Amino acid sequence: MLAERIREVPVGQIVAVLADDVAARTDVPAWCRMKSQDFVREEQLPRGWGFHIRRTY
């Protein structure tokens, strides 16, 4: 879903991804490295995590 939705975000802006699957903690940063997007931060939430990604292109 991130790969599809990031196109809707203007270059330079940040998108937040919410996940409750523990695999996302490794998958989201790995996707950012593969796609040359900036992984800004991971945030612990009461029921999962929030991941902040800056669109670079």
Side-chain angles (χ1 to χ4, degrees), residues 17-30 39 42 49 51:
V17 175
L18 304 177
D20 60 3
D21 181 354
V22 70
R25 297 187 73 203
T26 55
D27 291 349
V28 172
F39 183 78
E42 174 184 323
W49 299 270
F51 303 97

Side-chain angles (χ1 to χ4, degrees), residues 9-49:
V9 177
V11 172
Q13 295 298 309
I14 294 176
V15 62
V17 175
L18 304 177
D20 60 3
D21 181 354
V22 70
R25 297 187 73 203
T26 55
D27 291 349
V28 172
W31 181 87
C32 290
R33 286 190 301 275
M34 284 187 341
K35 299 297 183 179
S36 299
Q37 302 296 343
D38 289 339
F39 183 78
V40 177
R41 69 185 176 111
E42 174 184 323
E43 176 181 6
Q44 178 74 46
L45 301 174
R47 296 183 72 198
W49 299 270

Side-chain angles (χ1 to χ4, degrees), residues 1-13:
M1 292 175 92
L2 173 58
E4 294 172 13
R5 300 300 300 265
I6 200 160
R7 295 181 197 128
E8 300 171 16
V9 177
V11 172
Q13 295 298 309

